[in-house]
Amino acid sequence: MRFELIDRVLEREPDRVVAIKSLTSAEEYLADHFPDFPVLPGVLMLEAMAQAGRLLAGGQTDSPWVIRQVRNVRYGQMVRPGQTLRVEVTRRGQDETGLEFQGVGTVDGQVAVQGRFHLAPLEAPRPSPRHD
């Protein structure tokens, strides 16, 4: 199953991307989060920013990019069905382990999520030593 949270890319530059996630009442997870007050879970707002970051990282390795570290994440406005989360992610740097990003997600101009995160290529699992 592919878990895509980016519906459309609005702008794309080498170090910046703007994308949207339009939340509909048909999203399966809303039945549990929360049945009488459905909102996009905060972890999925963060994942939408990470997916936008992966668009900027694409092609740099053959491995998938995973979240290695998250810092200073803050949540504000809730995202309800019928609303659109606008995600803007900027690449801030690179080190030996991966790429550093700054992201902000807004709904109707109000901040829903913001923070910094680090994406790193997923390393293949190493075989454990055999003890015969």
Side-chain angles (χ1 to χ4, degrees):
M1 167 181 180
R2 294 204 49 95
F3 197 63
E4 298 291 335
L5 291 171
I6 300 297
D7 292 329
R8 185 166 38 122
V9 174
L10 303 177
E11 301 174 35
R12 188 170 182 169
E13 300 168 12
D15 289 329
R16 180 179 162 273
V17 66
V18 178
I20 59 170
K21 165 62 180 160
S22 298
L23 191 64
T24 70
S25 57
E27 314 277 344
E28 246 180 84
Y29 48 82
L30 292 178
D32 296 320
H33 198 273
F34 299 97
D36 295 328
F37 189 79
V39 295
L40 181 63
V43 69
L44 295 184
M45 289 187 220
L46 177 60
E47 177 61 23
M49 289 195 311
Q51 287 182 12
R54 286 183 191 108
L55 294 173
L56 295 175
Q60 293 194 19
T61 72
D62 292 331
S63 300
W65 291 86
V66 297
I67 296 173
R68 181 172 182 270
Q69 184 179 54
V70 176
R71 292 189 306 241
N72 301 325
V73 173
R74 295 184 183 160
Y75 295 96
Q77 179 77 21
M78 289 185 242
V79 185
R80 307 273 325 253
Q83 294 181 315
T84 298
L85 178 67
R86 181 185 184 273
V87 175
E88 182 173 347
V89 172
T90 305
R91 186 173 133 176
R92 307 300 291 172
Q94 181 172 356
D95 64 19
E96 64 280 353
T97 63
L99 302 171
E100 183 78 27
F101 297 92
Q102 174 74 38
V104 63
T106 59
V107 174
D108 299 326
Q110 300 293 314
V111 174
V113 62
Q114 63 184 356
R116 297 184 339 196
F117 58 97
H118 189 100
L119 296 179
L122 180 65
E123 294 181 14
R126 295 186 180 129
S128 21
R130 290 186 59 165
H131 299 285
D132 292 331

